[in-house]
Amino acid sequence: MKRIIKKVAVLGSGIMGSRIACHFAGTGVEVLLLDMLSKDAGDNPNPLVRNKLVNDALQTALKSNPSPVYTADVAKKITTGNFTDNMKDIATADWVIEVVVERLDVKQQIFAQVEQYRKPGTLITSNTSGIPIHLMAENRSDDFKQHFCGTHFFNPPRYLRLLEIIPTPFTQKEVVDFLLQYGDLHLGKTTVLCKDTPAFIANRIGVYSIMSIFHIMQQQGLNIDEIDALTGPIIGRPKSATFRTADVVGIDTLVKVAKGVAENCPNDEANAIFKIPDWLEKMVQENKLGDKTGEGFFKKIKSSSGKDIQVINLQTGVYEARQKPKIASLDTAKPIEDLKERIKLLHNAADKAGNFYKSFHYALFSYISFRIPEISDELYRIDDAMKAGFGWEIGAFETWDLLGVAKTLHEMKQAGYKVASWVEEMLEAGKTSFYCLEKGKKKYYDISSKTYRFLPGEGSFIVLSNFTDGLIWKNNGCRLYDIGNDVAALEWSTKMNSIGSEVLEGIQKGISVAEEKFKGLIIANPGANFSAGANVGMIFMLAIEQEYDELDMAIRMFQNTMMRVRYSAVPVVSAPHGLALGGGCELNLHADKVCAAAETYIGLVELGVGLIPGGGGTKEFVLRAADELHKDEPEPNTLKERFLTIATAKVATSAFEAYQLGILRKDRDSVILNPDRRIAAAKKAVIDLFDAGYNMPVQRKDITVLGRSALGALLVGINSMKRAGYATEHDALVATKLAYVMCGGDLSAPTQVSEQYLLDLEREAFLSLCGEKKTLERIQSVLKTGKPVRN
């Protein structure tokens, strides 16, 4: 049957419930959020009094940072109520999600009420993280059981992409298939089918990983700072690494999950690893639970410099100053951009880092091998769960492949580690890896059939690096691929995916090749971010050495490349995600279409370093402002809004907010909730644009600039900000130059100008600011600390 979700009822407004409600509302769904009747309600009929508990919880969520909503107006889609007065209203919902306290008896009471009002066929799911799903379905009707399932969101639901789907023996296959697809397409999740086993997949493997690290740390005499340095971004894990993650999640939560596995999985061959160390038990007893109690493995203390972070000494229980680890192989690995190369180097290092990684990887590989088919029949689900739920850039089986399955297995046996028999059977059959590629599509080793099978929906999840057989061209930073269906794709890998000369060369080359042989070009990047902007290090070097001719040439090249993106004979579609700042934003402003991941943080931030957007960004904002002006009554309000967006270096906190800032175009650009689908969406967009009869646009010469009339108003505003102390002298200088460009210069009346006219003004202003001492101080500060100095 075709199932449409128009309204979702969320039962329980705690930390998870309120944020799940916000995420659904952010995707455009109407939400009913219910919780208990407020204690002080009595017979008071006022909804504000009766719903105080749920309303307060929702407001707390909306004020939290990071925000649980894509844009502020999302909250309008959420209606609140209480179980006493409003449980009947779930009859209008298409999906009911229970998110109450983690107690089976309480959940069963809620489900008994749900059965009174729920219309037959309505989806009903529980967000439990530990209670067996089948137990919650006991004593319920057949229709309830058939439509009941576990849906385990990870916190915070907007940002952590894992959604575990856990059916019972009674759940209809249609329901499971729908939830897997809906979570992927409409909620932007990596949906992972799990068996109804303790801690499901992600927490089972994730908590094992953490507990294993605790044991290795003690065995090898490592300290907390060393472990967090070894288990963070250096090997593709979150900045919070191990101990900071425990503080954020809650040490009591970690202990609870570990004890749950130890008690409920007596046959787990690694059961002893889940035994809580004495020092960890002591921390729980002393209420050192992490962020929720103000102290855990780390503690913030006030000092003369503000706040310092201290780390606990596990032997004494006393907090001490943190010490930067001195591990030679870590220093060697840091400059290496390629994560896979870093992991191989560190695993094989001949120091304490190498010893740690060998022990950690051997234990992890052994454990995951025995979890199949216990927690999942397919190995890729374990990798998906860890990447989406715990932020691992490379999954466990993928890491094993990277290090060499046979080679690592040999080392593991020598070190005394065992693996499940199916791994050895796979190798004996001549299959040397868990994954392989076929025509750009990924396959996984299927244990039951002993063959390689395509990952489900592989055509919708395009990874450009999988197309090594279709590599057309490359330079030091870029790679151009043929990804099939007459579409080319360009990606680059530089530090923070910044845009320098090699990237500009790649974009020009990609467009030229696409014009000659393809329907169009996609521009998308691997890594955590699309692009942090232009290579400011190069700009700083040229400015310091006063190489203004070369700097002028570099800016012209940037501008010309952006204009090439706009004015090419074939469609150019970008697919940004993460940070898309400065020059990265300008590239998207010039694309024929943008297929942006929902979590795209995009904006023109050049004012922060004392510059103006110099790659066509200022020009493009002027052009768009002119097109938005009332033809009969030109007024500066639209231009003022655009000016303020650049002048305050506003960055959209989501792709949806980018619409509001005028960076994305509602009539042309699209938001893709699941970032893994954005490249496939961009490929389809290229084909659609080409097949619809794409014609190269003509450069604009009809852009209305307002001259002195608007410039005067903007200068008054700039001076007011400076007098009020909101802007420094240098801020005012930069903003004045920006205003001059955006108004088209000191023109006596509104005038129509060309894009090139505006690009020339933009470049001249950019160059002049590169000669300012305070601008150079800001750029230097960014290069040294990552943040501009306020001068």
Side-chain angles (χ1 to χ4, degrees), residues 498-501 504 532-548 550-556 558 582-583 586 606 609-615 766-772 775-776 778-780 783:
S498 62
I499 302 174
S501 58
L504 297 177
N535 185 342
V536 292
M538 179 195 70
I539 294 170
F540 180 75
M541 181 185 70
L542 292 174
I544 282 290
E545 294 178 359
Q546 298 185 6
E547 297 282 358
Y548 292 113
E550 286 192 35
L551 190 54
D552 179 72
M553 189 183 304
I555 301 165
R556 284 178 189 271
F558 206 112
E586 287 173 311
E606 288 84 353
V609 292
L611 296 167
I612 73 166
F766 190 98
L767 270 171
S768 69
L769 288 167
C770 285
E772 293 287 338
T775 288
L776 295 178
R778 292 188 183 188
I779 296 175
Q780 186 176 36
L783 292 172

Side-chain angles (χ1 to χ4, degrees), residues 233-307:
I234 196 76
I235 58 163
R237 305 288 165 81
K239 289 181 181 179
S240 54
T242 299
F243 288 96
R244 182 74 190 103
T245 294
D247 273 1
V248 172
V249 170
I251 294 170
D252 54 336
T253 302
L254 173 66
V255 168
K256 180 183 176 184
V257 174
K259 285 183 174 179
V261 173
E263 293 168 5
N264 296 308
C265 302
N267 298 322
D268 187 318
E269 79 291 341
N271 189 277
I273 293 293
F274 290 94
K275 184 179 184 300
I276 309 301
D278 292 340
W279 53 264
L280 191 56
E281 287 277 21
K282 185 179 179 184
M283 288 183 69
V284 174
Q285 292 167 7
E286 294 177 350
N287 206 38
K288 294 175 179 176
L289 306 180
D291 289 1
K292 65 177 74 175
T293 59
E295 57 182 10
F297 291 113
F298 300 98
K299 180 180 181 179
K300 288 182 181 178
I301 62 162
K302 291 182 179 179
S303 68
S304 56
S305 60
K307 283 187 177 180

Side-chain angles (χ1 to χ4, degrees), residues 308-326:
D308 287 338
I309 298 176
Q310 293 190 335
V311 62
I312 195 169
N313 182 315
L314 296 177
Q315 280 70 47
T316 64
V318 176
Y319 289 93
E320 302 171 346
R322 300 191 68 180
Q323 295 182 348
K324 187 177 181 181
K326 296 179 180 178

Side-chain angles (χ1 to χ4, degrees), residues 40-294:
D40 302 329
D43 295 328
N44 192 325
N46 188 339
L48 293 177
V49 176
R50 300 178 74 77
N51 298 335
K52 187 176 187 305
L53 189 152
V54 64
N55 288 339
D56 287 351
L58 178 58
Q59 289 306 310
T60 298
L62 292 171
K63 293 175 184 175
S64 64
N65 186 26
S67 174
V69 293
Y70 293 123
T71 57
D73 59 357
V74 161
K76 296 175 183 177
K77 291 186 173 69
I78 303 174
T79 303
T80 56
N82 63 78
F83 296 148
T84 304
D85 302 328
N86 304 104
M87 189 65 89
K88 65 181 186 304
D89 297 334
I90 70 170
T92 62
D94 305 297
W95 182 353
V96 179
I97 304 178
E98 169 273 311
V99 203
V100 299
V101 66
E102 284 285 88
R103 277 179 46 186
L104 180 59
D105 59 333
V106 174
K107 291 179 184 291
Q108 288 177 330
Q109 290 172 18
I110 290 292
F111 290 141
Q113 293 182 58
V114 168
E115 281 237 86
Q116 296 179 43
Y117 302 108
R118 166 188 165 272
K119 65 186 178 188
T122 301
L123 296 175
I124 172 74
T125 67
S126 171
N127 188 60
T128 183
S129 59
I131 299 174
I133 304 300
H134 65 275
L135 294 180
M136 289 187 276
E138 288 182 352
N139 302 318
R140 302 271 64 88
S141 68
D142 288 345
D143 185 81
F144 185 105
K145 289 179 179 179
Q146 290 166 4
H147 295 88
F148 178 69
C149 197
T151 47
H152 183 208
F153 289 82
F154 274 56
N155 188 37
R158 173 184 162 184
Y159 301 96
L160 278 187
R161 294 187 48 224
L162 181 59
L163 174 56
E164 293 181 315
I165 307 295
I166 314 102
T168 75
F170 308 105
T171 312
Q172 289 180 352
K173 183 179 183 300
E174 172 269 323
V175 168
V176 177
D177 291 344
F178 175 82
L179 290 170
L180 287 168
Q181 184 187 42
Y182 188 90
D184 164 13
L185 279 174
H186 299 279
L187 298 177
K189 300 296 179 185
T190 296
T191 51
V192 174
L193 180 64
C194 303
K195 293 187 177 182
D196 194 4
T197 53
F200 311 132
I201 292 179
N203 280 338
R204 180 75 172 272
I205 305 300
V207 172
Y208 168 80
S209 175
I210 293 172
M211 297 302 294
S212 175
I213 288 170
F214 289 169
H215 286 272
I216 294 169
M217 178 181 72
Q218 289 182 286
Q219 292 165 4
Q220 299 186 0
L222 299 168
N223 62 43
I224 289 175
D225 283 324
E226 288 174 324
I227 290 293
D228 270 10
L230 290 164
T231 58
I234 196 76
I235 58 163
R237 305 288 165 81
K239 289 181 181 179
S240 54
T242 299
F243 288 96
R244 182 74 190 103
T245 294
D247 273 1
V248 172
V249 170
I251 294 170
D252 54 336
T253 302
L254 173 66
V255 168
K256 180 183 176 184
V257 174
K259 285 183 174 179
V261 173
E263 293 168 5
N264 296 308
C265 302
N267 298 322
D268 187 318
E269 79 291 341
N271 189 277
I273 293 293
F274 290 94
K275 184 179 184 300
I276 309 301
D278 292 340
W279 53 264
L280 191 56
E281 287 277 21
K282 185 179 179 184
M283 288 183 69
V284 174
Q285 292 167 7
E286 294 177 350
N287 206 38
K288 294 175 179 176
L289 306 180
D291 289 1
K292 65 177 74 175
T293 59

